[in-house]
Amino acid sequence: MSTTPQNAYPAALPTAPRPGVHPNVLRGKPACSTATLPLRPIAEVVVPKVALDAISLSYKTTSGERLLALDNISLQVKPGEFLCIVGPSGCGKSTLLHLIAGLQPQTSGKVLVDGTPVSGPGTDRILIFQELGLFPWLTVGGNVEFGMKMKNIGKAEREEKAQYYLRLVHLSKFRDSYIHQLSGGMRQRVALARALATEPDVLLMDEPFAALDAQTRDLLHDELERLRAETGRTIIFVTHNVREAVRLGDRVALLTFRPGRVKQEFSVSLPRPRQMEQTDVARTARDILDCLRDEINKSLEEEYADEKAR
Amino acid sequence: MKKLAKQLIFYSALIGVWALLAKLRIWPPYLFPPPWGVGHALWDGFADHSFWIGIAVTMKRMLIGYSLSVVLGMILGLAVSSSKFLEETLGGLLVSLQSLPSICWIPLAVLWFGLTEKAILFVVLMGSLLSITIAMEDGRKQMPKIYGMAGRNLGASGFRLFWSVLLPASLPFIVNGMKQGWAFAWRSLIQAEMIFLSLGLGQLLMMGRDLSDMSQVMAVMILIVILGYLVDGLIFRTMERRLQEKYGLTPA
């Protein structure tokens, strides 16, 4: 996976790992059992495609108190890497993607892409929203062409590329359909094609398959894996489904419940292609889940406490 | 077709009851005209062209006044929705002004513009401008935030973000506002015409009153209802339904 074309970088960029970032894959509390995990140290050092440098985010609640949502998050994603971020609901994992996409500013810390700090949205990082945000007033083709149109790419080229990406997600027949005419899985694929058509370096995906039935989801997992092999994109994928994370990711980062911190990172070296039902996928997922369970309990406790207080 | 049959039966029954009541002569015909009297008045009105002229004059005023208020209302609505200051100051004033029936503007309109077309247009404008402004403002607020974010994420910003994303995203709300605006403008115009007595359907109605010709009054009332329904019920509602379906706002 380190042989993607995006590994070619200008010599001026720093090649040493950032200080304060562990080169080791295991971080956080050693309390979780790690013995059975198929771990491997990250041997080669590459300039990260995306680097989160001590990201914190806090905001004022309606009652006026400041709430820390993300606390000192540092993460590095190598070019072409597939990083999955898991965590209990409310840990700020979606927010983290919004920060990387530049749709929302962080309180402190830096988001670096190819070593350059991010200061706003950019088409080098495309986010696929959980709710997709496909434009209902445009056809499937119009949606896929939208990003290119904003880049002032000519009509002929736009159509050609849209056709290419629609074929890639097996939707070329639906080019002139409107979004409301498509099924959930098809909409998901339109969102994927729309994101890919702007040719981003980094694809950010926010629980994209959470609302789908198991069969459609499995199918889309296969397609995503194939697309990634064909396009060599760096992918940061947020999910609450640990098994999905193990099924897809090269690496899984576990976030804690409020405030979100990186509790631990797991490198998944299981051979591809993987399946959700595979025993080694299930076993790895269970080990991560053991680690996650404390956090889920914390989030549930807080919810119950809220209910009691009411 | 089933719906059409039901409607046919309903309206036949309604006219039947009306005819029966008229036939029983509970009230004298000059107070309660029979359906055939109203039918006759309709026929005469179209035959001597007075109804055609009335419709043409009314529709022309409507088109001018309404178009003006749509354009102004959209600009005003956009301004109010994009500035916190304007929203908190002008926004409140607009909402409170909307409780004012537009007919209240007639004394001022006559004073400012005299008994002219301008005065009528002014009343129509005041009748529909506010509801369009408020609907436009609401539309901008109710529009799902996700579209704006998706647009920015895909590289849209500034005017292009507004034109290619925010405007189409709020279209269902805009159409709803335009529909409301039309209804208000229509009522205002007929009211204004009844007082101004310068051609138009409103004047025809008042002429019927002055001649104690209740058949003509009812004939014009029926015309007003039919015209209003044609625009509001057919054009706007169809447009609204199609948009809602397309935008996934109703289970299609």
Side-chain angles (χ1 to χ4, degrees):
Chain A
M1 60 127 275
S2 58
T3 52
T4 49
Q6 279 146 331
N7 271 356
Y9 281 98
L13 289 170
T15 48
R18 307 189 59 80
V21 175
H22 292 259
N24 204 330
V25 286
L26 269 181
R27 295 148 44 112
K29 291 174 212 149
C32 306
S33 120
T34 53
T36 55
L37 291 180
L39 300 172
R40 69 190 154 91
I42 297 171
E44 73 276 40
V45 174
V46 214
V47 182
K49 187 76 214 173
V50 179
L52 306 183
D53 185 9
I55 293 282
S56 294
L57 178 78
S58 60
Y59 58 90
K60 259 206 182 97
T61 59
T62 39
S63 56
E65 52 188 319
R66 274 203 99 70
L67 200 85
L68 189 60
L70 295 171
D71 183 21
N72 197 27
I73 290 191
S74 292
L75 269 175
Q76 300 196 343
V77 192
K78 287 182 296 177
E81 192 180 19
F82 197 133
L83 172 74
C84 288
I85 299 177
V86 292
S89 55
C91 72
K93 43 194 195 306
S94 297
T95 314
L96 195 60
L97 284 193
H98 283 230
L99 297 184
I100 300 172
L103 292 170
Q104 190 184 339
Q106 62 271 18
T107 313
S108 67
K110 263 184 270 178
V111 177
L112 301 143
V113 174
D114 291 335
T116 317
V118 160
S119 60
T123 45
D124 54 339
R125 296 150 276 134
I126 294 294
L127 171 60
I128 300 181
F129 297 88
Q130 194 173 354
E131 318 87 313
L132 302 183
L134 293 171
F135 301 140
W137 57 90
L138 295 176
T139 58
V140 167
N143 266 284
V144 175
E145 284 177 36
F146 185 87
M148 293 187 270
K149 208 170 170 184
M150 292 303 119
K151 279 186 185 171
N152 298 319
I153 291 172
K155 195 171 160 56
E157 193 187 341
R158 274 199 327 251
E159 282 177 359
E160 195 189 314
K161 272 194 184 166
Q163 195 56 35
Y164 170 77
Y165 283 104
L166 281 174
R167 211 177 301 129
L168 216 57
V169 296
H170 306 301
L171 278 179
S172 38
K173 271 192 213 147
F174 294 91
R175 184 192 186 116
D176 298 321
S177 304
Y178 281 92
I179 305 304
H180 73 98
Q181 298 166 320
L182 306 181
S183 70
M186 286 156 89
R187 288 177 200 190
Q188 200 63 61
R189 299 209 299 265
V190 176
L192 197 58
R194 180 172 78 167
L196 288 171
T198 47
E199 312 207 312
D201 290 347
V202 185
L203 205 55
L204 308 165
M205 304 177 80
D206 187 5
E207 304 214 26
F209 308 141
L212 299 179
D213 58 277
Q215 289 97 316
T216 313
R217 190 194 55 204
D218 285 350
L219 216 71
L220 286 173
H221 281 164
D222 294 342
E223 283 197 25
L224 181 60
E225 198 158 48
R226 181 178 55 82
L227 286 173
R228 185 217 174 193
E230 274 173 44
T231 58
R233 302 266 179 264
T234 308
I235 300 178
I236 304 179
F237 188 103
V238 157
T239 175
H240 63 269
N241 185 339
V242 177
R243 210 190 263 209
E244 180 176 54
V246 174
R247 154 81 180 82
L248 292 170
D250 297 320
R251 199 150 51 97
V252 177
L254 185 61
L255 292 197
T256 59
F257 177 71
R258 222 173 282 160
R261 295 191 187 99
V262 180
K263 181 169 193 177
Q264 201 161 344
E265 288 178 46
F266 305 87
S267 186
V268 184
S269 54
L270 300 171
R272 288 176 193 274
R274 306 167 190 156
Q275 291 302 322
M276 290 278 268
E277 293 74 27
Q278 239 167 272
T279 36
D280 43 0
V281 167
R283 197 181 308 125
T284 312
R286 201 184 53 222
D287 291 327
I288 298 177
L289 206 56
D290 282 340
C291 216
L292 179 63
R293 195 152 292 133
D294 301 343
E295 303 306 323
I296 295 174
N297 286 341
K298 266 187 241 166
S299 88
L300 287 179
E301 263 166 38
E302 185 148 312
E303 257 172 46
Y304 293 158
D306 282 352
E307 239 158 59
K308 266 180 207 155
R310 236 173 253 149
Chain B
M1 258 3 233
K2 237 179 146 183
K3 191 178 158 200
L4 193 72
K6 276 186 215 159
Q7 285 173 338
L8 220 67
I9 293 169
F10 173 73
Y11 285 108
S12 315
L14 198 68
I15 294 172
V17 171
W18 177 12
L20 192 73
L21 284 175
K23 203 82 183 157
L24 288 174
R25 293 207 170 235
I26 304 171
W27 305 282
Y30 62 86
L31 287 184
F32 191 80
W36 50 89
V38 174
H40 205 75
L42 272 173
W43 179 263
D44 283 350
F46 280 115
D48 69 7
H49 299 292
S50 62
F51 281 8
W52 290 119
I53 295 168
I55 291 174
V57 169
T58 298
M59 289 316 268
K60 188 184 150 209
R61 285 177 184 149
M62 189 64 192
L63 277 179
I64 298 173
Y66 177 65
S67 313
L68 243 132
S69 57
V70 166
V71 173
L72 286 178
M74 281 189 180
I75 295 171
L76 212 59
L78 274 180
V80 171
S81 65
S82 44
S83 149
K84 185 105 188 146
F85 175 76
L86 283 179
E87 191 193 320
E88 283 166 356
T89 53
L90 189 61
L93 177 69
L94 291 179
V95 172
S96 51
L97 274 182
Q98 214 205 354
S99 64
L100 195 66
S102 60
I103 202 80
C104 299
W105 289 99
I106 281 194
L108 280 177
V110 173
L111 213 62
W112 291 343
F113 303 105
L115 279 170
T116 61
E117 285 293 306
K118 273 188 205 153
I120 293 189
L121 290 182
F122 179 75
V123 174
V124 173
L125 190 70
M126 291 320 285
S128 63
L129 174 70
L130 297 179
S131 70
I132 290 176
T133 304
I134 291 167
M136 185 80 190
E137 186 196 339
D138 275 354
R140 284 287 304 276
K141 270 192 230 146
Q142 282 176 43
M143 183 195 77
K145 296 267 178 300
I146 181 90
Y147 295 131
M149 283 210 284
R152 289 203 294 143
N153 184 35
L154 291 165
S157 62
F159 178 73
R160 296 189 84 179
L161 181 69
F162 169 74
W163 186 254
S164 324
V165 181
L166 301 182
L167 195 64
S170 46
L171 201 59
F173 305 104
I174 296 175
V175 168
N176 183 38
M178 283 172 64
K179 185 179 147 218
Q180 268 183 42
W182 175 273
F184 277 108
W186 184 241
R187 283 163 180 71
S188 309
L189 177 59
I190 302 293
Q191 288 169 355
E193 280 181 351
M194 284 174 71
I195 292 182
F196 272 57
L197 303 182
S198 57
L199 296 168
L201 288 173
Q203 192 211 350
L204 287 174
L205 202 152
M206 286 311 266
M207 211 158 78
R209 188 196 92 150
D210 294 343
L211 300 173
S212 281
D213 183 356
M214 285 311 120
S215 293
Q216 163 139 350
V217 170
M218 284 185 84
V220 177
M221 280 166 71
I222 289 172
L223 269 186
I224 293 171
V225 168
I226 290 174
L227 281 176
Y229 176 78
L230 279 181
V231 177
D232 185 64
L234 294 184
I235 300 179
F236 277 111
R237 226 162 274 178
T238 311
M239 212 150 84
E240 202 176 36
R241 205 183 43 238
R242 290 231 179 110
L243 271 174
Q244 283 185 342
E245 198 181 286
K246 189 168 157 183
Y247 280 54
L249 293 173
T250 49

